[in-house]
Amino acid sequence: MNITELNQKHAISGAAEIIAAGGGLPAVRVLGPAHGLIYLHGAHVADWHPPGQKEVLWMSGASLFADGKAIRGGVPICFPWFGPLGGVAGAATHGFVRNRAWELESIRKVAAGVEVVMKVTSDAASRAAWPHDFVLRHRVTVGSELTMTLELTNTGTAPLQAEEALHTYFSVGDIKQVRVQGLAGTHYIDKVDGKKEKTQAGDVDFTGETDRVYFDTLAPTTIEDPNLRRRIRITKEGSRDTVVWNPWIAKAKAMADFGDDEWPGMVCIETANAGPNAVELPAGQQHSMSAVISVENG
Ligand code: BG6
């Protein structure tokens, strides 16, 4: 469907419309009072402004917007694997659904704001990369909170195993002053220290490249940002893991779609099921993972 047809079918006057956004890619713009922008490419939330707030999500000024490429910033969806796929040369990092167009299923006004539902269904190309039949839906509600729910249905005849993440990029004042609360005492794999297993002592702070998968983390996490004088809270369900990432100087420079000087202004806190906590789903069953994001000033 082209943008005119998408608008004829789904636009809601004064609440939501479909526009040609970055690279001409179709995106749902939620018009207020909370503002949002959600690309159909990757079902990718690229902007969320709750009333009275600066942007909460971070987007790179160097992001690509093209078929086959991931958008840098916002909320990429990693599925059906997280990170590189072990043993498979050339497999897309973080899976293939963030690199392709999803179908817009519905837009409606709900009590909490505007809900946008997108889906991607297994096809010949997905089966060549990952031999399972599935439907993956992403339900996003843009309101004073941002709620994202990833719903996986196994439509095949055999069980499947999948990793998944809402790879959320948050905008911060200065990463060196940020602290992340809610992970103290949990175990993590430190990807920048030979994948050693460690235990988190106190809050997470940032003094260099940080790339960690925290396992069995069910509690909410909070980003304390003294610079922007706000606290961002991430509450989740159906997710056992949390990934924390900032590329710092050298890795930022090495990434073509990430500005060299952008790293102090972002942090990723990712709601995930990865590694030993990958989702195991029998035929015909459904699994949901959701994150609710809210912001408090002060
Ligand atoms: C994080 C990973 O989730 O995503 C990092 O833990 C990775 O290892 C980062 O570098 C960005 O990945 P990508 O594929 O979007 O460049």
Side-chain angles (χ1 to χ4, degrees):
M1 261 189 232
N2 64 30
I3 288 178
T4 307
E5 291 163 339
L6 285 167
N7 272 306
Q8 278 161 357
K9 187 159 180 212
H10 295 289
I12 304 174
S13 177
E17 63 187 8
I18 295 92
I19 60 165
L25 295 175
V28 178
R29 180 156 69 186
V30 176
L31 299 168
H35 295 269
L37 186 70
I38 306 163
Y39 283 84
L40 302 187
H41 181 82
H44 191 119
V45 181
D47 183 33
W48 169 55
H49 272 72
Q53 287 289 339
K54 291 187 178 162
E55 68 271 11
V56 180
L57 303 177
W58 177 90
M59 276 294 298
S60 172
S63 178
L64 303 168
F65 295 96
D67 194 33
K69 305 282 182 200
I71 295 171
R72 177 70 68 194
V75 192
I77 295 175
C78 307
F79 177 90
W81 57 86
F82 181 79
L85 183 60
V88 182
T93 311
H94 290 326
F96 46 81
V97 302
R98 67 177 182 163
N99 299 341
R100 55 174 285 179
W102 290 45
E103 184 189 325
L104 177 56
E105 202 168 54
S106 63
I107 306 178
R108 60 185 185 128
K109 283 193 191 177
V110 293
V114 173
E115 181 203 63
V116 180
V117 184
M118 294 145 290
K119 77 169 180 185
V120 68
T121 306
S122 50
D123 57 14
S126 76
R127 277 183 220 106
W130 191 64
H132 296 286
D133 287 323
F134 68 91
V135 175
L136 189 62
R137 277 196 177 77
H138 195 34
R139 286 177 196 280
V140 179
T141 303
V142 175
S144 57
E145 297 182 329
L146 175 68
T147 302
M148 298 178 286
T149 303
L150 196 60
E151 282 174 9
L152 170 63
T153 308
N154 180 353
T155 52
T157 52
L160 64 75
Q161 195 187 57
E163 294 179 298
E164 55 185 1
L166 299 169
H167 191 307
T168 314
Y169 289 75
F170 292 98
S171 193
V172 295
D174 176 6
I175 187 69
K176 291 178 182 164
Q177 294 183 40
V178 161
R179 300 181 82 80
V180 176
Q181 298 177 333
L183 297 169
T186 64
H187 299 284
Y188 65 93
I189 285 188
D190 191 344
K191 291 211 222 167
V192 300
D193 188 12
K195 295 196 175 165
K196 281 188 196 141
E197 275 196 53
K198 301 182 179 174
T199 303
Q200 179 63 39
D203 296 347
V204 182
D205 57 5
F206 299 85
T207 54
E209 184 185 349
T210 304
D211 191 355
R212 303 175 181 175
V213 184
Y214 288 85
F215 292 108
D216 301 313
T217 55
L218 307 178
T221 43
T222 305
I223 302 170
E224 295 279 343
D225 187 342
N227 209 274
L228 295 184
R229 293 204 200 94
R230 70 181 182 188
R231 208 170 282 125
I232 300 174
R233 190 175 168 87
I234 305 128
T235 306
K236 60 196 191 125
E237 273 180 30
S239 153
R240 301 198 64 83
D241 306 320
T242 302
V243 182
V244 177
W245 182 61
N246 181 288
W248 222 253
I249 302 166
K251 184 144 191 195
K253 278 207 169 104
M255 287 186 286
D257 62 344
F258 194 116
D260 290 359
D261 302 322
E262 290 181 325
W263 60 271
M266 57 70 68
V267 66
C268 284
I269 306 290
E270 308 170 34
T271 297
N273 286 307
N277 287 328
V279 175
E280 308 267 356
L281 203 56
Q285 300 288 300
Q286 194 174 74
H287 176 272
S288 291
M289 173 175 81
S290 61
V292 180
I293 299 167
S294 57
V295 187
E296 222 177 83
N297 289 321

